Amino acid sequence: MPIDIERFESDPEEELKPQGTTNAEVILSFLASSPDQAYTPKEIHEATDVARGSVGVVLSRLESRGLVRHRGDYWAVATGEDVEQTLNSMRIANTVTDRFGPENPDEWGEGIEVGAEDGK
């Protein structure tokens, strides 16, 4: 979602980070941005600001889905199309949420009668 140039120039940098992204998306995006590098969990934490205690859990979950790989203490993005498809799906989901609101269906149609037909 774009922001106006006045906000870009005046807001503190930490407020200009994308909102609504998950730790998994942040870590996977970081690793995918440097597919020729492998990082320790500490390096991933320092580069992404994901809480140190969350990095290992997120990496394990991403590995179980075949999106990252590791050897010893180092982690890298997996090879293959699954990573790019997953990142695209995450971006689309964030865009839809930003545009259409919350996931709670009870909040979608407040004030709208389901099944109502043209005044009948």
Side-chain angles (χ1 to χ4, degrees):
M1 172 183 279
I3 61 171
D4 62 60
I5 199 67
E6 184 178 334
R7 180 174 175 212
F8 171 80
E9 291 175 348
S10 65
D11 281 9
E13 187 172 342
E14 52 273 4
E15 290 183 26
L16 297 178
K17 293 184 179 179
Q19 301 298 313
T21 55
T22 64
N23 288 342
E25 184 177 0
V26 170
I27 290 173
L28 188 58
S29 295
F30 168 70
L31 293 174
S33 71
S34 301
D36 57 338
Q37 300 288 314
Y39 300 88
T40 65
K42 181 181 179 191
E43 292 168 331
I44 294 168
H45 157 70
E46 291 171 352
T48 64
D49 289 330
V50 170
R52 179 69 178 99
S54 299
V55 172
V57 174
V58 171
L59 288 169
S60 293
R61 289 181 182 158
L62 291 171
E63 181 183 33
S64 71
R65 293 182 177 102
L67 299 171
V68 300
R69 55 200 165 116
H70 85 278
R71 295 185 73 192
D73 291 335
Y74 287 87
W75 293 80
V77 69
T79 57
E81 293 180 21
D82 287 347
V83 173
E84 193 57 40
Q85 289 173 349
T86 298
L87 286 169
N88 284 335
S89 295
M90 290 174 168
R91 287 183 200 112
I92 290 168
N94 286 334
T95 300
V96 169
T97 300
D98 288 346
R99 183 162 184 197
F100 296 110
E103 292 181 25
N104 185 350
D106 294 337
E107 297 176 17
W108 290 350
E110 289 182 8
I112 298 173
E113 219 176 296
V114 177
E117 300 175 301
D118 299 326
K120 292 184 182 176

